[in-house]
Amino acid sequence: QVQLVESGGGLVQAGGSLRLSCAASGGTFSRHAMGWFRQAPGKEREFVGGISQSGTGTYYTDSVKGRFTISRDNAKNTVYLQMNSLKHEDTAVYYCAAASGFLSIVVVTTAPKYDYWGQGTQVTVSS
């Protein structure tokens, strides 16, 4: 079992930045592809971005490309989501997730393929 705990959410003005962290425990972090998802009120959970086990592969949804960056530190069992140039429409609860059973270079982009989820952290962007 892998436990995931997100942190770093909060209230920020439009145009500002936040960095989310997701600390993993209870499993072999380096053997899991990691992803970030978000869910805004009244909307379905959506994929934000993902990173491969090795960290060499990343993929982002179009709405965050060029603004968000995913990275991971396998020595610290932590994945990060750096969010810059935040917009009001980025307001959501952000979740990290872990997926096992994939090749080390694969980025997992769909929610059903993820095995473990964190509890989420709220990000609110004021306009």
Side-chain angles (χ1 to χ4, degrees), residues 35-57:
W36 286 96
F37 291 76
R38 65 186 179 186
Q39 187 167 21
K43 295 186 177 181
E44 294 186 353
R45 188 173 299 190
E46 67 167 344
F47 173 77
V48 174
I51 188 166
S52 62
Q53 294 178 26
S54 62
T56 56

Side-chain angles (χ1 to χ4, degrees), residues 34 50-60 70 72 104-108:
M34 300 299 295
I51 188 166
S52 62
Q53 294 178 26
S54 62
T56 56
T58 56
Y59 186 81
Y60 303 91
I70 294 175
R72 65 189 295 161
S104 63
I105 61 172
V106 171
V107 178
V108 182

Side-chain angles (χ1 to χ4, degrees), residues 7-19:
S7 61
L11 174 65
V12 64
Q13 288 187 334
S17 298
L18 281 175
R19 188 177 82 154

